Amino acid sequence: MTSTPVHEAATDGAARKDFIRQIVRDDLASGRQTAIRTRFPPEPNGYLHIGHAKAICLDFGVAQEFGGWCNLRLDDTNPAKEDPEYVKAIQDDVHWLGFDWHSLRHASDYFEVLYLAAEKLIRQGDAFVCDLTPEQIREYRGTLTEPGRNSPWRDRSVEENLDLFRRMRAGEFPDASRTLRAKIDMAAGNMNMRDPALYRIKHVEHQNTGNAWPIYPMYDFAHSLSDAIEGITHSLCTLEFEDHRPLYDWCVEKADLAHSPELLKPLTDKGYPFEAGKPRQIEFSRLNFNYLVMSKRKLMALVQEGLVDGWDDPRMPTLQGIRRRGYTPSALRLMVDRVGISKQNSLLDISILEGALRDDLDAHAQRRMAVIDPLKLVLTNVAEDFEETLAFPNHPKDESAGTREVPFSRELWIEREDFAEVPPPGFKRLTVGGDVRLRGAGIVRCDEVVKDESGKVVELRCTLDLASRPGMEGANRKVKGTIHWVGAKRAVAAEIRLYDRLFTVPDPDNDEGGKSYKDYLNPESRRVVAGYVEPAAATATPEQSFQFERIGYFVADRYDHTADKPVFNRSVTLRDTWATKG
Ligand code: ATP
Ligand code: MG
């Protein structure tokens, strides 16, 4: 039997050269690690956003590329803010991005183990129960320039600490009256090492553990030990945790779960494998784009104040929102690859995100014709009942996408802006007395316009040049412009939602002049129009994307679209129209 070293199992990721993958490669080459295990650890207190897509692609991607695995772990140590609704959406989002987890875990699965680890720390003299109030703890903590002071409760005996901690667990004390703190160094330059809290008292029901626990572990303690419990080798997180790394390492070292099977018994008794190890935390920069806000708190405010239609509003940067907008998993993965992984925090231009979507849809979305601001065009020189179908390629650069039948008839819809009664200089489309090519159908000349009482043009009466029809000898006759159209007889009326950026300024988060991001909402971020689409667009399945020729990329709405009442969302325009707005 031959065996392949794990690191050779790498797929296309082998080409990715970022510093994290280099560390992983080195760890495998040196034998420091034999299998790669990562985790994606969202807190279920909101919906995932575009930033999380970077973490997901990295956590799951690295595991996949190096033949390892990645857990999805819900970091549910803050029961007051968490909700099962989010848990469901998070799983949906990870799957949608194209990843699957080795095991679905919750930090709360480990509460018993974490509790035993805390008792171990107490017995080692590494933790103590502190009776200072939250304000006092803040006072004792010192500042960046001044050391802190030891808590008067720091030197309690192991017995007293154990007794008090057990009574905290038994629910004997009110919220916030005591904490369990690590005994490290109140003079440490790194504030996180100044006897940080490990447990707090909180009489709150938890969505998984109910009322079993009146105490909850703090983030640093729960996170580091959850990684250790699962045998995570590389714990990838964003840069704001860099200052927490010494505490992370301290917790892992002091609890030493890899050599403490007795602490893992509550899990192994339930059938969990013993996997404990010594994880290594590595930080990378957060993904931030201009024209967006990404903090969960601000997104929550937009939803709660009704400034958007919900978490899955297509203008929201949540994965549920951009999915509904028409973003594809492959566009997001492309964006993450283009952005790369580094330790440099920066605000990226939104055109990187939109560009990845355009490139992905340009390559993969089929073409259709749709008219979003319809004006009727009548071919006066063909019979009343004239009707035929024309074969159109579904994709100009991909023959394998095949062709479709596009109905052409005496009456057509064209885009109102493709006609001008008084053409501006350089206008290449239809004018009175002028001619234009109807995409794939022939050349028409406009003879006459029909207006309503208000003087608005409601109909163009045109002559179809029969010699210019496809396959005829005049088919290549040169005209200045080509426009798209939809055959009125078979056209399907469609609701078209024209989405645009939610904010008008690149930095909606600036606090200048007491303004908030809510002051920069773009009133034009959604316009709903009634248009027409060709039958082969109407029959789209929800979430199917198209390029509507000359207009932009659109997606059939995930929830509202049906073949009878099509609803399309504009995902992105064909070109970046913001770049030129200045
Ligand atoms: P927010 O600050 O938006 O509320 P968070 O950091 O609190 O986000 P978590 O649920 O704790 O969100 O995040 C889960 C994982 O996703 C963490 O590892 C976190 O570092 C990562 N992550 C969150 N936001 C970003 C981002 N903008 N770019 C890259 N990774 C991110
Ligand atoms: Mg968080």
Side-chain angles (χ1 to χ4, degrees), residues 41-43 45 52 75 219 240-241 296:
E43 180 179 353
N45 62 350
H52 290 111
D75 177 22
Y219 174 83
E240 70 272 23
F241 294 105
K296 282 183 201 157

Side-chain angles (χ1 to χ4, degrees), residues 298-311:
K298 290 176 182 164
L299 298 180
M300 177 84 76
L302 291 173
V303 172
Q304 284 177 345
E305 293 170 34
L307 299 169
V308 294
D309 292 334
W311 288 100

Side-chain angles (χ1 to χ4, degrees), residues 227-247:
D227 283 346
I229 290 169
E230 294 173 19
I232 301 306
T233 54
H234 301 81
S235 176
L236 313 178
C237 64
T238 35
L239 276 178
E240 70 272 23
F241 294 105
E242 199 165 23
D243 285 347
H244 294 242
R245 194 186 333 132
L247 178 55

